[in-house]
Amino acid sequence: MPQVLTANRLVVGEVVYWNGARGWVQRLQDAEVLADSEAESTLAGAAEWVQKREVVAPYLFDVRLEHGVVVPVKVREAIRAAGPTVRLDLGKQSV
Amino acid sequence: MYRYDEFDARLVHERAEQFRGQVARRLAGELTEDEFKPLRLMNGLYLQLHSYMLRIAIPYGTLNARQLRKLAFIARKFDRGYGHFTTRQNLQLHWARLPDVPDMLLELAEVEMHCLQTSGNCVRNITADPFAGAAADEIEDPRILSEILRQWSTLHPEFSFLPRKFKIAVSGSSADRAAIMVHDIGIEILRSKTGEIGYRVFVGGGLGRTPFIGHEVGSFVPKGDILAFLEAVMRVYNESGRRDNIHKARVKILVHQIGIEEMRRRVENEFAEIKKSGVLQLPQSEITRIAAYFAPPDFATLASGDAAFEAAKRGNRDFANWVKTNVHAHKMPGYAIATVSLKTIGETPGDCSSDEMDGLADIMDAFGQAEIRVTHEQNLVLPHMREADLFALWQRLEALNLATPNYGLVTDIIACPGLDYCDLANARSIPIATAIAKRFADLERQQDLGELKIKISGCINACGHHHVGHIGILGVDRKGVENYQILLGGSGAEDASLGEILGPGFDREGIVDAVENVIDTYKNLRSDSERFLDTYRRVGAQPFKERLYAR
Amino acid sequence: MLVKAASIVEDSFTPVADGEHLPDGPVIVSLKRFLAERDRILAREQPLGVRLESGESPQELQPCLPKLALVVLHIPAFRDGRAFSAARLLRTRLGYGGEIRLTGHFLLDQIAFFTRVGVDAFDVAPNISVAEIQTALHEISDVYQPSVDGRVTIRDLRARRTAVPPS
């Protein structure tokens, strides 16, 4: 199952995603989709960013690719990527 | 209400500066997240789904206008211009930034507020009846004891690292408007046969993964003994509560495991030991001193049934509808308790914008209201309105869109923030609440249904108090999809009971229909003007199961 | 690094594992070992410390406390707050007057609370400075609750304040 690495920025608390080439990005669509073989090592690599006080609480979550669009398997991650479904004027979806 | 003296003020200021130091150490790498987490939690700062969330303490739910304006200001300056009133009478801001929090705490300290112990394994906000000081059936204002307990529990050296969180609620009458039966410690103020006022203490109530109704551990604790008695309970819990499994660490589990008899024995032993030293005796002088802060306002001598008020009701049906549900009798003739519903149809239950907060503060000033109260059902209360002012109040609330006439009705739904906001949640609760509210928006229909408390939680932690809803809804994750279980027959009042799961859950599309079917079943079965809860208790779950599942 | 009264002090005690031979001089043994070999250990007539794990009750030491120079409270994780009650019990009901030392995983920010309930020495990481400890101890000036340390409470301060006659 393809996965994405995510975390929260320590200072502002914002949700971010890992892209090996670009670092921590704000949009899920810019995240790197990880194959099974690389997911765990990528997660382990996040420890360095925790140590540097960039992010906290990194973890992996499952995604599907639908016509090139990264779609989280769980509703929770879809909401986390966009913002509260009851306030469309708030969160990443409003930017 | 309580006013800080220089000692209270210094403590919250120092606490804000202490946290500033802790944030600096965190950002400089001197504290790991693991070390910082308990420190930020003890200042009410969570890392939630989208951002940091700051939980501001509102002791026993009481605010003055200055404080309300400050909350509006903080929400505007540091957050996204709104806050969420919770089921523990606190306020949550969902979009905080870590480096701003020390400044937010300082702003709060300026108006005698703080975020102390709104999270963490310590004694949390002491909650009390929002009708305190106004209700006719009140034996004594529960906020007097609540303030004494607030001070006793703040930065308690022995009990700041309990096995788990500890929640205390106080009720000032035999009617329970503070849900004391489902708290770790619930306290009922009562009068003995000789007329002495004392405390009946319950222990081991709670919701969450394993809900329990509290058991009596002290039938009549004299006022002077209450701190010693509560320390005894806390010490037994601190020493014997489980430390190996966070899901089994609440005091309710300890009581369940050893039994209430054994719990009582241990508490009484410890209490006897504490009494020997006499150090924790609460002197009458201290009780009197604190009580003076909660002295009733100067009530005018008025007749009940103000003529203008009666005329306004006859002349304006919308106003009359609002009075029917949102106005309660006050102990003083000519006065009334007014509930401001934060359950506007189609909007997030319990949310309040900065503009609304400022508007309410203006209203408080306009009508000489020194206090506004937050209820554990996510509404607000103006406890000492004059009947003669109610119509003008209602008009001003209407202008703010805060005059929803639904207190206690089916659209007065309690909902936790749920998966839209909360890191712990499994399902969304707010859109379920708004969908149900819209389905039942017709006011005549609502009034016909009468008192019907729907409570929705987005996960097993039960912050929406679903176990004690007449209709409770629990959102779960069923194979990655949001699913909603219905419970019936819960009550958080003095007739406390825990709801029973009706059967398999429903998805987002099905849950509103399911709730409507449950309510229709009630309508078909009710006798006279029986409440939903009473019908359920009379007929049981079977008719409801048949309606929902027989196919 | 051992800290007592906010200064670094020498640690003269040697912790000894169960089953290991007891060297000459002050030693710290586990509660289990102490209870099993009590008479023999006490017969050494040298300064003795007993280490309590979280969940072990100081009550078990009660008859022997006057003979103990040191009780060590070990904290496995800072969330485990039983040591606060253990220290308090030692000082109050059990009347223990020797040194209570804290070791294990605790936060700097807990030291003030531990001091209040009767702990007087802390085994801290070597990179902690005395200044940090001083800060931790004095960040909050006043206390609401009475405790073992006998500190004046806010209630006492209030009473004093109102009792002062006008000049």
Side-chain angles (χ1 to χ4, degrees), chain B residues 29-42:
Chain B
E30 291 163 35
L31 287 170
T32 65
E33 186 63 16
D34 228 35
E35 293 167 333
F36 180 64
K37 193 169 173 188
L39 304 176
R40 68 165 161 80
L41 285 176
M42 297 221 285

